Amino acid sequence: VAIAVMLVGNAVAIHFVSSFRVVIDSNMLRNAVETDRKEVADLLSFPLFRALLIYALIPGIALLWVRLRREPLRAAARRVLAAACIALAVVVISALASFRTYTSFFQKYPETKHLMVPANHMTAAMDLIGKAVRRPRGPRRVLGADATLGPRWKSAQKPVLFVFVVGETARAQQF
């Protein structure tokens, strides 16, 4: 089930990264979670369904043919630990071989870390959940209680209209 959810998340992430050239971070994911039905309907498209077919459904069907073999827990843990150690060694050796290249690239283009599927939407989801779970420390404080209108506002000849722009426009600054 977890792999199937990850395949669907990957397919959706691949579609939006490649189609709209967006980065997927916790702010983008929060925006997606807080969207309404009309926006969702606008995003449902043939290219999205094609991405779901290619990157989720076909690999998901292939997963149905995989048969897991049962083995004792110790043997499985040893095998997984050995594979993880080998994979870690390969990653470390590869990173050390090109450390300067990777370092300068990621320093110059830090947003590229948000383009790596599946790491982008998985870390964004964990960050979003972490922010939602965190409790505010201490009591709430009133900010700006001492704010007053300046003399120009008080002496206005016409009624004053003050507009707050909040929502999609305010969040658009992040993308």
Side-chain angles (χ1 to χ4, degrees), residues 6-132:
M6 194 170 79
L7 286 173
V8 171
N10 290 347
V12 172
I14 289 168
H15 168 71
F16 286 111
V17 167
S18 62
S19 297
F20 299 108
R21 306 283 187 244
V22 295
V23 295
I24 297 182
D25 59 358
S26 60
N27 292 324
M28 177 63 81
L29 204 56
R30 186 187 72 239
N31 188 17
V33 170
E34 294 174 354
T35 194
D36 61 5
R37 288 182 187 177
K38 184 180 181 319
E39 289 180 30
V40 170
D42 290 342
L43 293 174
L44 295 177
S45 62
F46 177 74
L48 175 61
F49 291 118
R50 183 180 59 220
L52 285 168
L53 173 73
I54 294 170
Y55 299 115
L57 187 63
I58 293 173
I61 291 170
L63 277 176
L64 292 175
W65 283 313
V66 173
R67 295 289 172 233
L68 299 176
R69 59 187 160 126
R70 297 192 184 273
E71 61 182 309
L73 182 61
R74 267 187 202 193
R78 245 183 307 199
R79 192 172 45 78
V80 168
L81 185 62
C85 288
I86 291 169
L88 182 63
V90 168
V91 167
V92 167
I93 291 168
S94 299
L96 290 175
S98 303
F99 183 74
R100 285 189 176 166
T101 305
Y102 289 138
T103 303
S104 64
F105 178 79
F106 283 112
Q107 284 176 348
K108 189 172 183 179
Y109 306 104
E111 67 277 0
T112 55
K113 70 180 180 181
H114 299 296
L115 300 173
M116 292 186 267
V117 175
N120 58 358
H121 67 88
M122 291 171 68
T123 56
M126 288 186 291
D127 189 36
L128 186 65
I129 291 167
K131 287 178 183 176

